[in-house]
Amino acid sequence: MKSIRPIEGRSLATPLSKLLLFLAVLFSPSVFAVSPANSGQILDLTATSAGYISIMIFVLAYLLVMGEEVIHLRKSKPVLVAAGLIWGIIGFIYVQNGMSELSEAAFKHNLLEYAELFLFLLVAMTYINAMEERRLFDALRAWMVGRGFSFRTVFWLTGFMAFFISPIADNLTTALLMCAVVMKVGGINHKFISLSCINIVIAANAGGAFSPFGDITTLMVWQKGVVHFAQFIDLFIPSLVNYLIPATIMSLFIVNRTQLVQEDEVIVKRGAKRIVGLFLLTIATAVCTHTFLGLPPVLGMMTGLGFLQCFGYFLRMTFDKSVAKKRKQAEIAQDKKRLSYLGQVVPFDVFTRIARAEWDTLLFFYGVVLCVGGLGFMGYLSLVSEAMYSHWDVTYANIAVGVLSAIVDNIPVMFAVLTMNPDMGLGQWLLVTLTAGVGGSLLSIGSAAGVALMGQARGIYTFAAHLKWTPVIALGYVASILVHLWLNASLF
């Protein structure tokens, strides 16, 4: 038989042939081979090539998420791809074993969990965007800036407002609003701005921990039914302690002087206060739907979206009449500023507010839920649950969850815990809710609020600036846990 010689000394194993060979081996059925299982049983893929490849895909995707600020790749993109690849691997294996109905049912279960949270968050974001469009937050900022408060007063005022606003509005929106205030007041005083940003991140995360509406993690816990709406209030004092201890220490390093800043008057658009009222009514509807009717809270939230749409219709239908009336009043008063403003105002459009939702966050949430759900279906979460909640003390395991959430986003961490569903009492579920919520404050990258403020106060509030105060923040973290263990001992 005639031998084949390499042409011009080059190997026939070109990069293309190597790639094709790798893909052929990678996707061959033998690579994904699993031990035979009884009909109807879920396959354990934790010790297979398919499982290892899925773990590698998820880790790579999350490394890209963590490097978002450096590579400028939105965090939703890598996890969307990872979710598709992981479930594609699962689907391929289950088809090979004639069990595709199990993988399909598992995927639909995870998709339904995401859909409920997605619609809930979409309504909440729409209301927040509507309040922003009505200039309610601008008016609040102008009031704070124009009062001539000292630096230390602004530090405490923005911190407490972040703490008490974030349980209703999300912690990201609250942090951005308060950061705008401290940057306006601080001017060139970078130390004040940096300390205030750290303070705001801690306050927003702590405030969001004792309310189902304050953070995605608390919302997931409430939606899952492991903690009821009224029971979150047991975390109020531990959350307050988590904020007060580092805030008190940091406030000692702020020079207590006043810097008057002139802020232009902000004209709030018509219907702003009524939209706030509708938002509170929507929250009440969601709570009542879940508490008294036994239905998912998303039903109440979507009903609340209908409230906003109906009110938006009223604002549009009465828009021309309202503008004409206000223009006549401004002409009589010779108010040129208001006349100029009325010439620029446009009718309220609820669908524009929906379009301005944080779609990157919502799609990132989809990728995380499906990735973690896929790895859980493979059997990895059972292994983690066995390692953490069987071999460790439950309290230590829940404290570790909070520390982990400072490195990895708290959304996948909490979703993993909920998917594991360890056998814990109410006190422990409240503990892990607390630690996952406030643990992200230990590092600037540990929460959405921290990441957002690094972008808003770029070069002033940085990872290194936050890291300098991590030991102080850790004091608050430990103190809040001890207070919870002592104050809510009857719940354990």
Side-chain angles (χ1 to χ4, degrees):
M1 183 175 178
K2 188 176 180 180
S3 62
I4 301 176
R5 293 180 301 169
I7 300 175
E8 297 181 0
R10 291 171 56 192
S11 171
L12 292 176
T14 61
L16 179 59
S17 65
K18 287 181 179 179
L19 177 61
L20 292 175
L21 179 61
F22 171 75
L23 293 175
V25 173
L26 179 62
F27 291 102
S28 65
S30 61
V31 172
F32 293 146
V34 296
S35 301
N38 296 329
S39 178
Q41 283 189 345
I42 295 175
L43 302 175
D44 183 2
L45 306 178
T46 54
T48 65
S49 298
Y52 300 146
I53 292 171
S54 297
I55 288 289
M56 288 167 52
I57 290 172
F58 181 68
V59 170
L60 176 60
Y62 221 85
L63 288 174
L64 293 174
V65 169
M66 294 175 67
E68 179 184 12
E69 288 296 309
V70 178
I71 62 178
H72 303 294
L73 177 69
R74 288 188 177 274
K75 60 181 179 290
S76 61
K77 297 177 181 179
V79 292
L80 285 173
V81 175
L85 292 175
I86 290 172
W87 277 99
I89 292 172
I90 292 172
F92 178 80
I93 293 173
Y94 274 76
V95 166
Q96 295 297 314
N97 285 271
M99 303 164 62
S100 60
E101 68 282 353
L102 291 180
S103 59
E104 181 184 8
F107 178 82
K108 287 182 177 179
H109 173 74
N110 282 276
L111 186 62
L112 178 61
E113 287 196 0
Y114 167 73
E116 289 184 7
L117 290 164
F118 165 77
L119 292 174
F120 192 106
L121 291 169
L122 183 63
V123 175
M125 289 178 177
T126 301
Y127 264 103
I128 296 300
N129 288 335
M131 294 179 206
E132 185 179 10
E133 189 271 342
R134 296 286 98 179
R135 307 195 72 188
L136 196 66
F137 295 139
D138 290 337
L140 177 62
R141 184 192 66 204
W143 177 83
M144 292 178 64
V145 169
R147 293 295 171 180
F149 295 127
S150 67
F151 282 156
R152 192 169 293 172
T153 302
V154 172
F155 174 88
W156 280 110
L157 190 59
T158 53
F160 272 112
M161 293 190 75
F163 183 84
F164 286 105
I165 292 176
S166 61
I168 302 174
D170 66 284
N171 53 9
L172 175 60
T173 301
T174 305
L176 290 173
L177 171 63
M178 294 300 116
C179 182
V181 174
V182 300
M183 290 188 70
K184 186 78 174 180
V185 173
I188 60 173
N189 192 329
H190 289 183
K191 181 180 179 181
F192 164 74
I193 295 174
S194 178
L195 286 173
S196 295
C197 285
I198 298 170
N199 182 54
I200 289 167
V201 170
I202 299 169
N205 290 335
F210 68 89
S211 165
F213 298 88
D215 191 70
I216 295 178
T217 56
T218 56
L219 176 60
M220 288 192 292
V221 171
W222 180 46
Q223 291 257 60
K224 196 76 172 181
V226 293
V227 178
H228 298 301
F229 186 86
Q231 293 170 332
F232 280 92
I233 198 63
D234 290 321
L235 292 177
F236 174 76
I237 294 180
S239 298
L240 185 61
V241 169
N242 178 270
Y243 162 63
L244 284 178
I245 289 179
T248 301
I249 297 173
M250 288 190 295
S251 68
L252 301 176
F253 293 84
I254 293 179
V255 179
N256 193 26
R257 62 184 178 86
T258 302
Q259 181 170 316
L260 185 62
V261 179
Q262 187 66 35
E263 177 77 0
D264 293 335
E265 180 187 0
V266 174
I267 302 173
V268 178
K269 294 183 180 180
R270 185 171 67 107
K273 294 179 181 178
R274 282 172 284 182
I275 288 177
V276 174
L278 286 176
F279 184 43
L280 296 177
L281 177 62
T282 298
I283 293 174
T285 304
V287 173
C288 292
T289 299
H290 187 60
T291 304
F292 301 114
L293 302 180
L295 295 172
V298 66
L299 175 63
M301 292 298 288
M302 292 302 290
T303 304
L305 181 60
F307 298 159
L308 182 61
Q309 288 182 316
C310 291
F311 183 64
Y313 173 79
F314 166 77
L315 289 178
R316 289 196 306 275
M317 292 299 100
T318 57
F319 175 75
D320 292 335
K321 183 179 179 180
S322 174
V323 170
K325 180 180 177 180
K326 290 181 178 179
R327 182 175 285 113
K328 185 175 181 180
Q329 293 173 345
E331 288 174 350
I332 293 173
Q334 296 183 344
D335 190 340
K336 294 182 179 179
K337 180 179 179 180
R338 185 169 290 272
L339 283 171
S340 175
Y341 161 76
L342 290 172
Q344 300 172 3
V345 71
V346 295
F348 178 79
D349 184 0
V350 69
F351 290 104
T352 302
R353 299 304 101 201
I354 293 174
R356 289 179 61 85
E358 289 286 334
W359 287 101
D360 184 49
T361 299
L362 293 172
L363 293 176
F364 168 73
F365 193 30
Y366 165 86
V368 164
V369 168
L370 270 295
C371 282
V372 174
L375 295 176
F377 187 61
M378 287 181 166
Y380 284 108
L381 293 187
S382 297
L383 292 179
V384 175
S385 179
E386 177 70 20
M388 289 183 62
Y389 290 99
S390 295
H391 295 92
W392 295 7
D393 183 87
V394 177
T395 300
Y396 295 149
N398 288 332
I399 293 172
V401 166
V403 176
L404 184 62
S405 70
I407 304 170
V408 182
D409 192 275
N410 58 2
I411 294 174
V413 173
M414 179 54 79
F415 185 74
V417 173
L418 290 171
T419 305
M420 296 177 208
N421 196 22
D423 185 16
M424 301 190 299
L426 175 60
Q428 292 293 350
W429 277 113
L430 286 173
L431 176 61
V432 74
T433 301
L434 173 69
T435 57
V438 303
S441 301
L442 293 169
L443 297 175
S444 61
I445 61 171
S447 66
V451 173
L453 262 58
M454 282 195 295
Q456 190 174 13
R458 190 178 300 277
I460 303 174
Y461 170 61
T462 61
F463 178 85
H466 192 108
L467 187 64
K468 178 182 176 182
W469 292 94
T470 293
V472 173
I473 301 169
L475 286 177
Y477 179 72
V478 173
S480 65
I481 294 170
L482 294 176
V483 168
H484 172 62
L485 294 175
W486 168 68
L487 198 63
N488 299 319
S490 60
L491 301 178
F492 287 84

